Amino acid sequence: MKTILVTGGLGFIGSHTVVELQNSGFKVIVIDNLSNSRIEVLDSITKITGTKPNFHKVDLRNKKEVKNFFDLNIIDGIIHFAAFKAVGESVEKPLEYYENNIGSLVYLLQEMRDRNIDNFIFSSSCTVYGQADKLPITENAPIKPAESPYGNTKQIGEEIIKDSCNAHKLNAIALRYFNPIGAHESIEIGELPLGIPQNLIPYVTQTAAGIRSQLSIFGDDYETPDGTAIRDYIHVVDLAKAHIAALKRLLNKDNENNFEYYNIGTGKGSSVLEIITAFQNSTGKILNYKTVERRTGDVTAAYADTTIANEKLNWKTEKTLEEALRSAWNWQEKQSNNHS
Ligand code: UFG
């Protein structure tokens, strides 16, 4: 049985990936500093899978803590989620973002090098493409100058990994996520945004639940069929499964290069207005919304060409947008019930 370290394994994507790893027969060790996650998620994962992952509270910014962890644990591969992820906040606090997202990555890679640990999966983002010139976006699309320190940490992160793969015996895959949404069907785990949600779907579900009075559509004057911006919304469980596929590719030594990167999306773009309509249709809830100014830094449209990921990872999405939106709503309802 292979032992996989999942950093940030109690977060939104991390927790869903831990579930899929355990369901696929891997032994999982989670490290998380609980800065944007809750320890209760460990029990939720246990409820879903019947197995409690091994957990260590480790702050990856602390080189000594990281070294101590690796002194005590034998690892076959790492899936690295732990990072800050708020675009706006990264503009206000760039150094915190570089310290956390880049410093941690370097410490992990140094331990891998020193202990001959192979197999690294990195959480990257479609943000590396900026506003792509051609849609859908293929992996060959040029990397545009980053719009935010957050985006820059993903670009720099990929370069650091590539250089490490060239210099040391390391194999890595970066997964460039499009927009992850939804929750596990058990509604034991889901997204837990702190404070006012920045992302569309949590804002939609909180508006439907009456926590927010009105949803703002950020701009309806984009060059798209209905004027609102287009994104590729992928069910988080489909996204989690892409990590298992990528890990197996590395463990089976099927990878053709020591550093590979793949787009992980559905291949289908949806506008903000289409999301609102699909949400209303799939949940029966009516949303109160208005159009406001565009949000700074937003691109017009981004959706993935997933041909290469489908073929090389032997992976494809299985869930529909409606299922994803319904699961997000079921999750929201559960949170609302817990707090009422
Ligand atoms: N939007 C609204 N109202 C809201 C929130 C969002 O209209 O209240 C719109 C945005 O303008 C955008 C779309 O909904 O057009 C999606 O916005 P999200 O914030 O949900 O997602 P983004 O595409 O902006 O962000 C995602 C990831 C980031 C990543 C970024 C790169 O969450 O990690 O893509 O563009 F950096």
Side-chain angles (χ1 to χ4, degrees):
M1 194 190 255
K2 298 281 186 194
T3 300
I4 307 303
L5 168 64
V6 182
T7 74
L10 300 186
F12 175 42
I13 307 172
S15 58
H16 287 82
T17 303
V18 171
V19 165
E20 296 307 321
L21 281 167
Q22 295 199 151
N23 285 344
S24 305
F26 290 100
K27 179 164 181 268
V28 178
I29 302 179
V30 169
I31 61 179
D32 201 302
N33 68 358
L34 303 175
S35 69
N36 191 18
S37 59
R38 296 193 197 150
I39 191 68
E40 292 78 22
V41 172
L42 209 54
D43 296 329
S44 307
I45 293 170
T46 312
K47 255 193 196 168
I48 299 171
T49 62
T51 307
K52 190 166 191 158
N54 195 327
F55 174 74
H56 298 261
K57 187 164 183 283
V58 173
D59 193 321
L60 291 171
R61 288 169 294 196
N62 185 328
K63 194 175 166 72
K64 216 170 139 219
E65 266 186 43
V66 177
K67 188 175 175 308
N68 286 345
F69 169 82
F70 280 93
D71 279 343
L72 296 172
N73 294 279
I74 307 288
I75 304 291
D76 296 300
I78 300 179
I79 306 185
H80 179 45
F81 293 104
F84 291 150
K85 60 174 184 180
V87 177
E89 184 187 60
S90 76
V91 179
E92 310 291 324
K93 300 178 177 174
L95 297 178
E96 279 83 351
Y97 271 67
Y98 289 116
E99 180 190 32
N100 192 34
N101 295 10
I102 301 299
S104 303
L105 173 65
V106 171
Y107 294 161
L108 279 175
L109 293 170
Q110 285 174 333
E111 295 300 330
M112 293 183 79
R113 175 200 61 197
D114 294 348
R115 298 163 197 270
N116 295 318
I117 302 172
D118 204 349
N119 311 314
F120 189 75
I121 312 281
F122 179 63
S123 290
S124 190
S125 167
C126 66
T127 196
V128 301
Y129 299 116
Q131 179 55 68
D133 302 322
K134 281 194 224 130
L135 293 165
I137 303 172
T138 71
E139 284 83 351
N140 299 322
I143 302 298
K144 296 275 176 73
E147 293 275 350
S148 69
Y150 162 76
N152 210 18
T153 66
K154 294 300 173 188
Q155 295 191 0
I156 297 169
E158 285 198 15
E159 291 189 357
I160 290 172
I161 296 166
K162 190 168 122 209
D163 290 343
S164 307
C165 287
N166 285 335
H168 313 297
K169 187 192 152 288
L170 177 68
N171 287 282
I173 293 180
L175 299 179
R176 294 174 176 168
Y177 311 151
F178 283 67
N179 292 53
I181 62 165
H184 193 266
E185 61 179 5
S186 64
I187 58 168
E188 288 293 338
I189 52 173
E191 198 169 1
L192 289 164
L194 281 181
I196 301 173
Q198 306 298 311
N199 295 114
L200 179 63
I201 305 308
Y203 211 104
V204 163
T205 58
Q206 290 197 7
T207 305
I211 300 167
R212 311 281 156 209
S213 56
Q214 193 169 49
L215 169 71
S216 296
I217 298 179
F218 297 143
D220 64 356
D221 56 352
Y222 283 103
E223 276 182 38
T224 62
D226 65 23
T228 64
I230 292 176
R231 297 288 183 277
D232 183 337
Y233 297 90
I234 176 171
H235 196 302
V236 65
V237 171
D238 279 331
L239 174 61
K241 287 179 177 168
H243 294 78
I244 316 304
L247 181 67
K248 286 186 174 162
R249 181 171 171 84
L250 293 181
L251 290 171
N252 295 337
K253 309 216 174 300
D254 289 337
N255 52 316
E256 290 150 41
N257 296 294
N258 52 12
F259 176 64
E260 297 183 335
Y261 44 89
Y262 296 103
N263 286 345
I264 305 298
T266 65
K268 185 177 168 292
S270 304
S271 72
V272 177
L273 273 173
E274 284 171 338
I275 289 292
I276 292 173
T277 305
F279 180 83
Q280 295 185 148
N281 290 342
S282 60
T283 64
K285 299 294 291 183
I286 300 300
L287 285 169
N288 179 24
Y289 64 88
K290 64 164 188 234
T291 304
V292 300
E293 291 288 291
R294 291 182 181 193
R295 182 170 68 178
T296 314
D298 273 350
V299 298
T300 302
Y303 51 95
D305 184 324
T306 60
T307 315
I308 296 179
N310 295 156
E311 189 192 313
K312 302 285 182 189
L313 299 179
N314 196 16
W315 161 90
K316 61 176 172 45
T317 54
E318 290 162 3
K319 296 185 180 287
T320 63
L321 177 64
E322 285 69 24
E323 280 176 277
L325 292 171
R326 224 171 14 246
S327 71
W329 173 238
N330 291 341
W331 170 249
Q332 178 61 56
E333 277 198 301
K334 185 179 172 197
Q335 305 312 301
S336 301
N337 290 338
N338 285 349
H339 291 109
S340 61

